[in-house]
Amino acid sequence: MTEFTIPLNDIPAEGREFSFAEQALWQDRWNAFGLGFAPGRDIQAVFTVLPQGDEAALVRGSISGSVSIPCDRCAEPYDFEVQTDFDVFEEANGGEEVLDGEEVRIITKDGQLHLDMGAILWEEFALALPVKPLCAEECGGLCAECGKPSQSCECNPEQEEGDPRLAVLRNLKIK
Ligand SMILES: [Zn+2]
Ligand SMILES: [Zn+2]
C-alpha cells in the first residue's frame, strides 16, 4: 500500500502548500478493496497544511480527476468525475490510534509526529464517490433476455420498460 506521510515539524507555522499526483495511492487502495475501479483522468490532490500548535493541524484542499467505476445496475464501467474540497482538523492522541471513535491521522513514525496524508486523502476520495454509481440516470440495467446492458442490446427495451417484474428487480440492491 502506497503511504504518504508528512513530518509535522517540517511545516512552518504559516503553513505549506502541497500537490500530490502519485496515482498508486488511489490504485493500491481500490485494488486492495476489490472495487473494480480503473484509472481515468489523473487524480490530483492540492492542499495546505496549517500547524495548530505542535500536535495538531488543519488540512484544506481539493481532489480532482476521474475514475472508471462499474455501474450499479448494468456493471458497465463509466467515467466518474471526482471533484471535492475538504477542510479537516487533525490531532495527535499520545500515540493512540483512535480518538472519540475516529482514526487518528497524526501518527508517530521514527519518533516524530507525521500527518497520515494517505489516509486523509483516501477518506476524502471515498466520500466523494457516489452512493449508487449509475452510468446514466436512465440506465435500464441488464436485459432480461440477453444479459447485456439493455441500452446496447437488440431486444425490445420498450416492452421491458413496462414490465413490473423488472421494475422490482431494478430496485433490488446487491450487497
Ligand atoms: Zn448502467
Ligand atoms: Zn437484450
Side-chain angles (χ1 to χ4, degrees):
M1 195 90 84
T2 301
E3 293 195 5
F4 176 32
T5 61
I6 297 174
L8 256 194
N9 63 3
D10 276 8
I11 301 173
E14 67 269 24
R16 180 175 291 164
E17 193 173 293
F18 295 84
S19 71
F20 183 80
E22 201 184 320
Q23 300 306 301
L25 182 90
W26 321 101
Q27 291 169 10
D28 282 0
R29 286 167 175 75
W30 68 56
N31 290 339
F33 290 111
L35 297 176
F37 292 7
R41 203 152 49 73
D42 273 5
I43 299 167
Q44 305 272 350
V46 178
F47 56 91
T48 301
V49 177
L50 288 159
Q52 308 288 300
D54 288 339
E55 301 199 341
L58 278 171
V59 188
R60 287 190 188 124
S62 63
I63 300 170
S64 61
S66 77
V67 56
S68 174
I69 63 182
C71 172
D72 204 41
R73 285 192 195 139
C74 70
E76 286 291 300
Y78 74 101
D79 207 42
F80 177 76
E81 282 291 320
V82 178
Q83 177 57 63
T84 187
D85 296 330
F86 60 90
D87 188 338
V88 292
F89 174 76
E90 305 292 343
E91 61 184 318
N93 188 27
E96 297 294 316
E97 288 180 3
V98 176
L99 173 63
D100 297 336
E102 306 253 333
E103 251 176 271
V104 172
R105 306 303 196 194
I106 294 182
I107 57 175
T108 306
K109 204 172 123 180
D110 309 325
Q112 288 192 335
L113 290 178
H114 283 66
L115 201 52
D116 188 354
M117 277 313 300
I120 295 169
L121 291 177
W122 171 250
E123 184 171 283
E124 296 302 329
F125 172 85
L127 287 171
L129 295 173
V131 176
K132 188 176 173 65
L134 293 178
C135 64
E137 209 40 62
E138 65 280 8
C139 170
L142 295 176
C143 170
E145 296 290 318
C146 70
K148 289 184 189 158
S150 58
Q151 298 97 307
S152 59
C153 82
E154 302 281 312
C155 308
N156 200 335
E158 287 82 357
Q159 272 185 10
E160 289 167 17
E161 209 49 55
D163 188 332
R165 291 166 304 171
L166 288 172
V168 170
L169 284 176
R170 263 184 230 118
N171 290 328
L172 283 180
K173 188 154 170 61
I174 298 164
K175 292 218 170 118

